[in-house]
């Protein structure tokens, strides 16, 4: 969607455009209400600021939509398509990587009670695996902070891909 179209869209349509970036109602409503934006950079900067901080409840809600790293969603939604693209660096046919991710995901979920989340876009499978190994040693409080930051990065990257000048 072009920025001019986003700026002038009915609020419900603008909100539906934003929702696949991150399904956090407060963020969607805040960004929608702040229109019009003079540039894409201004939109992205505002969106990043509006996402800081996410509350624990917002993080939990947003996490419900994220698949495990290494598991590609099959739905035909915009959000699923974005997720598949973001995980392009993880080859599901690589058995060693798939097994390492499955084991790491299981250990992470046992410790933290949620899926491991990382901004996968631009990262290789070895980088993701290393981050998983490093982060499993974190305290729950530290991991909460990291997860919220990863969600912010994902939201802004997705928005960047949706809006053109």
């Amino acid at each position: 969607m072009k920025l001019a179209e986003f700026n002038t869209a009915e609020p419900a349509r603008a909100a539906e455009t934003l929702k696949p970036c991150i399904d956090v109602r407060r963020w969607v409503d805040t960004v929608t209400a702040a229109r019009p934006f003079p540039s894409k950079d201004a939109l992205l900067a505002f969106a990043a600021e509006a996402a800081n901080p996410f509350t624990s409840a917002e993080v939990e809600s947003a996490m419900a939509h994220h698949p495990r790293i290494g598991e590609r969603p099959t739905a035909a939604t915009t959000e699923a398509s974005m997720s598949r693209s973001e995980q392009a660096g993880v080859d599901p046919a690589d058995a060693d990587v798939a097994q390492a991710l499955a084991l790491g995901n299981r250990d992470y979920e046992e410790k933290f009670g949620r899926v491991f989340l990382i901004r996968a876009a631009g990262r290789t499978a070895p980088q993701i695996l290393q981050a998983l190994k490093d982060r499993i040693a974190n305290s729950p409080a530290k991991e909460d902070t990291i997860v919220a930051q990863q969600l912010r990065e994902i939201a802004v990257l997705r928005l960047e891909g949706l809006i053109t000048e």
Side-chain angles (χ1 to χ4, degrees):
M1 175 182 280
K2 292 195 175 289
L3 178 64
E5 183 181 357
F6 175 73
N7 279 337
T8 59
E10 291 295 322
R13 181 158 183 251
E16 284 305 310
T17 299
L18 293 170
K19 192 175 175 183
C21 297
I22 187 164
D23 192 5
V24 171
R25 176 54 48 197
R26 178 195 53 83
W27 181 81
V28 169
D29 290 348
T30 300
V31 175
T32 299
R35 297 171 307 142
F37 293 95
S39 67
K40 182 177 176 177
D41 287 342
L43 166 61
L44 296 175
F46 184 86
E49 187 62 32
N52 191 16
F54 283 134
T55 67
S56 296
E58 290 170 336
V59 169
E60 184 177 327
S61 172
M63 291 292 293
H65 299 279
H66 285 274
R68 288 179 181 89
I69 291 292
E71 292 180 5
R72 305 279 169 93
T74 57
T77 64
T78 301
E79 188 174 11
S81 175
M82 290 173 166
S83 183
R84 285 188 296 271
S85 176
E86 292 160 359
Q87 290 197 43
V90 179
D91 179 4
D94 185 330
D96 291 338
V97 168
Q99 181 179 15
L101 284 172
L103 292 172
N105 281 329
R106 185 199 68 218
D107 292 345
Y108 184 93
E109 289 173 31
E110 284 177 8
K111 180 171 182 178
F112 296 108
R114 64 174 169 238
V115 299
F116 172 71
L117 181 86
I118 189 167
R119 178 195 41 80
R123 290 190 165 112
T124 64
Q127 290 170 325
I128 292 169
L129 280 168
Q130 188 58 54
L132 177 55
K133 289 176 186 174
D134 293 345
R135 286 175 48 193
I136 204 155
N138 289 340
S139 69
K142 182 173 183 179
E143 192 58 19
D144 287 349
T145 301
I146 292 170
V147 168
Q149 178 59 37
Q150 294 300 298
L151 283 169
R152 284 190 288 278
E153 290 179 23
I154 291 167
V156 173
L157 279 172
R158 287 179 173 184
L159 181 58
E160 185 175 15
L162 286 177
I163 303 296
T164 59
E165 287 285 351

